[in-house]
Amino acid sequence: MKAENGNKKETRILRVSEVNFDVIIDEAAEIIRKGGTVAFPTETVYGLGADGLNPDTVLKIFEAKERPPGNPLSLLVHSREDIKKVAKNIPEKALLLMDTFWPGPLTIVLEKKDTVPEITSGNLPTIGLRMPDHRIPLELVKRACTPLAAPSANLSGKPSPSLAIHVLADLAGRIDAVIDGGGTAIGLESTVVDMTVEPPVVLRIGAVGIGELEKVIGKIRPTYAGAESGSGMLMPEKQAGQKYSHYTPNTQVVLVEGKSEEKVSEQIGILLEEHVSKGQKVGLLLSDETAGFFTAEELNVHDCFLLGSRKEPEGAAKRLFEGLRTLDAAGLDVILADGSFSHSGLGAALINRLREAASVRHLV
Ligand code: TXA
Ligand code: MG
């Protein structure tokens, strides 16, 4: 794949195993120290890493991803020492979050120090930090001796990668290397919480839920689109860092949600008939239970991607981006998506990503 800016380079694929772990991480750390870009798995999604304190290397991330300038990058850190290098005036509550959720899928936005270049923070006075719960990025940060700027390793506007092949589909020829460490455990991006305001604000929901955060630091304000609030769904003004469009597939996604699982299945059936009668090609993104509502023949005729049981949002979250990528590449007119998954645990983040991907939403 040729990079539009003409910087076609060979992207090395570094397959990591127990046996070669040290050699591979040393190799990747050297690429980073020399100012290169390396993609790698984390427990959430694959990230694209470069020295986060060097504006020239950070620019390479923006170019490779075609990321709009001004959209802030977060930094992956390995230790409390790393944090002191880049953040100041750290509130007590932020330290509590670090103690509770790090290493893990929580990005904490703090006041930044001048060591962090403007390009990294998107000209904001703040910086998002995360200590990932994954051996590869932790060792890489340690051995590269610098916090890594590491956004998700996809082209801007595409879904985050949960497999190395997704990274290559988007960024081959644009980055120096990808470490193939298999599928990511969670499959959705981290929760982002801004600790520079009071009450703290959740900018993006991930595997760490609102309730879990509130147990540790008290009241917080969710501001991501589609958050459930007392009066229904929240569609607030976008905050800094939320201005840029999230992933929406090229193919129209129609999401069906409702309290009754039976009604959701029925409605997907009705919509399927409607679209088919117009001669359209339809894709189905379904829970196993909703798939059970259709005959094997119906499922065979249409492109169908199963996300697993609606009672297990963890499994569905892991497969969601793969499902959206697969169906979006199938040349369809519409994707009918099942919103009947449990909202507990990772379900809140799963439903949030489905709502963001969808341009039409049916509530039954
Ligand atoms: O799980 C993750 O967070 C993954 C892995 C690779 O670590 N990374 C990731 O990065 O999803 P990215 O850049 O694709 O998403 C980070 C989100 C963006 O929506 C960005 O706008 C927001 O966090 N963000 C970063 N720094 C911010 C800041 N200082 N203030 C507000 N929002 C910020
Ligand atoms: Mg991203």
Side-chain angles (χ1 to χ4, degrees):
M1 190 186 299
K2 184 142 175 66
E4 261 165 32
N5 59 15
N7 287 344
K8 186 163 170 60
K9 48 173 100 186
E10 191 199 335
T11 299
R12 297 178 52 202
I13 303 171
L14 307 173
R15 291 209 168 79
V16 72
S17 69
E18 273 311 314
V19 183
N20 68 6
F21 184 86
D22 270 320
V23 178
I24 294 290
I25 303 299
D26 276 340
E27 216 170 312
E30 177 154 350
I31 297 174
I32 301 242
R33 280 197 305 271
K34 286 187 172 154
T37 47
V38 179
F40 47 79
T42 77
E43 81 279 34
T44 57
V45 296
Y46 272 74
L48 175 60
D51 181 351
L53 304 187
N54 178 341
D56 298 333
T57 59
V58 172
L59 179 62
K60 291 181 189 173
I61 291 183
F62 278 90
E63 286 176 348
K65 282 179 58 81
E66 296 180 21
R67 186 172 174 109
N71 189 0
L73 301 181
S74 46
L75 295 175
L76 296 182
V77 296
H78 167 266
S79 65
R80 291 284 167 114
E81 291 312 302
D82 285 347
I83 302 163
K84 282 189 218 139
K85 264 193 244 168
V86 294
K88 62 182 181 189
N89 303 329
I90 304 175
E92 196 57 38
K93 283 182 184 175
L95 295 172
L96 277 175
L97 291 181
M98 291 174 196
D99 287 340
T100 312
F101 297 106
W102 280 6
L106 180 67
T107 299
I108 302 177
V109 174
L110 299 166
E111 276 182 52
K112 84 171 184 78
K113 281 190 176 163
D114 291 341
T115 41
V116 180
E118 304 270 273
I119 182 172
T120 305
S121 65
N123 295 313
L124 293 173
T126 56
I127 185 71
L129 302 183
R130 183 165 99 80
M131 188 182 288
D133 187 13
H134 196 295
R135 212 172 142 211
I136 292 176
L138 282 177
E139 271 305 305
L140 200 52
V141 172
K142 190 172 161 197
R143 296 188 200 184
C145 302
T146 183
L148 294 184
S152 50
N154 49 280
L155 275 177
S156 211
K158 296 274 184 187
S160 294
S162 45
L163 290 168
I165 48 167
H166 300 160
V167 176
L168 288 167
D170 282 7
L171 301 179
R174 294 167 175 253
I175 61 175
D176 293 302
V178 56
I179 303 177
D180 186 349
T184 55
I186 295 174
L188 302 178
E189 310 87 343
S190 63
T191 300
V192 180
V193 60
D194 184 350
M195 295 305 296
T196 67
V197 288
E198 192 54 49
V201 160
V202 170
L203 298 167
R204 182 175 74 187
I205 188 71
V208 177
I210 302 292
E212 285 177 273
L213 292 170
E214 289 193 327
K215 254 189 228 156
V216 180
I217 56 167
K219 189 84 200 124
I220 52 169
R221 201 159 61 89
T223 67
Y224 52 91
E228 310 279 356
S229 74
S231 52
M233 276 206 334
L234 212 58
M235 287 295 166
E237 286 277 294
K238 299 238 167 183
Q239 315 261 326
Q242 289 179 318
K243 285 180 293 203
Y244 303 93
S245 68
H246 48 71
Y247 169 63
T248 39
N250 295 323
T251 316
Q252 185 188 46
V253 175
V254 175
L255 176 65
V256 183
E257 285 185 64
K259 291 248 167 359
S260 152
E261 296 161 355
E262 175 113 88
K263 280 201 178 142
V264 170
S265 303
E266 273 170 22
Q267 181 65 21
I268 292 176
I270 292 167
L271 291 170
L272 177 63
E273 265 182 39
E274 272 176 26
H275 286 283
V276 169
S277 71
K278 284 190 247 166
Q280 292 187 333
K281 276 188 82 183
V282 185
L284 298 167
L285 186 65
L286 302 179
S287 64
D288 292 348
E289 290 86 346
T290 302
F293 186 84
F294 295 95
T295 64
E297 200 195 338
E298 278 172 313
L299 295 179
N300 261 335
V301 170
H302 304 289
D303 286 79
C304 185
F305 193 99
L306 295 186
L307 293 172
S309 170
R310 54 168 71 124
K311 296 188 192 76
E312 286 163 24
E314 281 68 27
K318 214 170 182 168
R319 287 168 59 70
L320 177 69
F321 287 144
E322 185 185 359
L324 286 170
R325 274 182 183 262
T326 306
L327 293 176
D328 203 18
L332 305 166
D333 296 299
V334 64
I335 297 168
L336 301 179
D338 180 358
S340 71
F341 291 90
S342 156
H343 288 209
S344 69
L346 254 185
L350 174 72
I351 295 290
N352 164 262
R353 301 308 188 276
L354 280 168
R355 287 176 183 169
E356 291 200 332
S359 52
V360 180
R361 201 168 150 257
H362 289 259
L363 262 181
V364 289

